Amino acid sequence: RLKVTQEVLDSIKLLKMYHWEKAFLDRVTELRDEELRLLKRYMTVQSFSRASYSTVSTLTSLACFATYVLIHGTMTPEVAFVGVAVFNILRFPLTMFPNVLSNIAEARVACNRLVSFLMAADLPDLPEADPLHGGPALIFHECHLKWPAPAESERVELLKKFSVEIPGRGSLTAIMGPVGSGKSGLIQAIVGDLAPVEGSITRK
């Protein structure tokens, strides 16, 4: 939701010009509803965990004493007082145990995100053209571009099998096309943020 909201704020002029407010509002609202649903589930689990803080030690004591009585039939004062003393010592660990489990789950999610970020593949450097000869500043040869996605099957087609040469200094090149035709993806490929699936990009 934050990513989409940031994109909306960065492109607010474009949204106003094309009157896309309703479409993006619906998208942000849908993501916000999903976020609230997950937050509600998270807070429900947190509330149950916090409610167990004050009851787990008492329930543990009652369960142990009841089990002792069922097995041995009677309970002497010596056993009762020693048991109460032991459970008072264990009160803090038993109280903090649910909180520890919650923190471990949150730490695992954070570590998985860090691992996926740090293990992501580096973008390859664009090959350099021969500086001793003139010619175009950029050369796209049989390039096939797709938008990045976590899985290869989820990548969306952007531009397929195109070749183009962009002149060097002293010339002006404009990229034109309708919305969704791949202009932004082409710019990302030029600056090196989007690596081609097939083909090559050579810059001078």
Side-chain angles (χ1 to χ4, degrees), residues 84-101:
V84 170
V86 171
F87 288 126
N88 285 334
I89 296 174
L90 295 176
R91 182 183 299 273
F92 181 75
L94 291 176
T95 301
M96 295 303 297
F97 184 69
N99 194 27
V100 170
L101 293 180

Side-chain angles (χ1 to χ4, degrees), residues 4 16 67 133 164 190:
V4 175
K16 289 291 185 180
T67 303
H133 298 81
V164 65
I190 291 176

